[in-house]
Amino acid sequence: MTTSPPQEHQIIEHIVLFNVKEDNEDYPTKVNAMVNALNNLNSLDSVLHLTAGPILRTRSKPAHLKYTHMLHGRYLTVSDLYNYSLDPDHVSVVDSLVRPLCEDVMAVDWSADVGPSTTLVPRPGSAMRVTFLQVEDEGEKEAFFEGVRKIIKEGIVGPYEQISYGNNFSDRGKGYSVATLVVFPDLNELDACEEYEDHMKSLVHKIKCSHDHILTVDYLVPRLASMNPAVE
């Protein structure tokens, strides 16, 4: 009897980076209200998973790029992402909290293949490393993705829990064309991922990135149960 291999399926990854202005005395209160309101969008029907919170670290070329907070969402289809973006609750949060507080917002979306055993909701307390690159040549993109696939196949990333990658299709990505997202069990494992870093640097050196534009952010998945209710 022949057994078919487990089938992969696709999800939509949605990353939004926010640079919050620190120009008033109500900064902590307003930022907490924005983050809580964004996390409450996790309850929308079109959303598989969504969390928002502060960015732990940012590394970028050019160095002037700065982001303070991140939102990570997952959706079954592009239509679900579109419905989320038009949902009145989402529009209200963006208009009343995000736009008044943020001086810069960047969004990157991609379709990712995930295995049948992949947990679509990252565990609270797990740590993410998200990398964005500007790669204009399609052949260079495929070379980069092939390198990522090799990392996954050979298991050289280390104790990661999930990894996804793909071509950005958002028009708010500021020129970043490819993305990778790796979930580690916790911050200690992320900080110890020297082998992953070495292989990612090797991949980047093999491809041509436009103007050497690379952006990496580290993010800790929050425990939503501890969040305060959103401010109306």
Side-chain angles (χ1 to χ4, degrees), residues 63-161:
H64 70 269
L65 285 177
K66 176 187 177 184
Y67 294 99
T68 60
H69 292 74
M70 186 180 109
L71 177 146
H72 173 228
R74 283 179 168 170
Y75 310 82
L76 280 177
T77 65
V78 174
S79 293
D80 285 341
L81 174 59
Y82 180 74
N83 291 336
Y84 159 81
S85 68
L86 296 182
D87 190 284
D89 288 343
H90 174 260
V91 173
S92 176
V93 172
V94 171
D95 289 344
S96 64
L97 293 169
V98 174
R99 285 178 177 162
L101 286 176
C102 298
E103 58 186 1
D104 190 19
V105 176
M106 166 182 155
V108 174
D109 305 317
W110 70 95
S111 176
D113 292 324
V114 296
S117 61
T118 300
T119 301
L120 298 182
V121 177
R123 182 178 46 78
S126 55
M128 293 183 181
R129 174 156 291 170
V130 190
T131 303
F132 309 101
L133 300 93
Q134 290 189 4
V135 184
E136 297 177 351
D137 184 272
E138 290 298 322
E140 296 291 347
K141 289 181 184 179
E142 185 52 42
F144 176 75
F145 292 141
E146 184 58 38
V148 176
R149 284 190 285 268
K150 184 178 180 181
I151 289 175
I152 298 171
K153 183 178 179 180
E154 295 182 359
I156 55 180
V157 171
Y160 71 91
E161 294 184 341

Side-chain angles (χ1 to χ4, degrees), residues 14 81 105-109 168-176:
H14 175 58
L81 174 59
V105 176
M106 166 182 155
V108 174
D109 305 317
N168 172 46
F169 60 82
S170 169
D171 59 3
R172 298 185 296 149
K174 299 186 180 297
Y176 290 98

Side-chain angles (χ1 to χ4, degrees), residues 27-38:
Y27 172 83
T29 300
K30 291 182 177 180
V31 171
N32 286 339
M34 183 190 78
V35 171
N36 288 341
L38 288 170

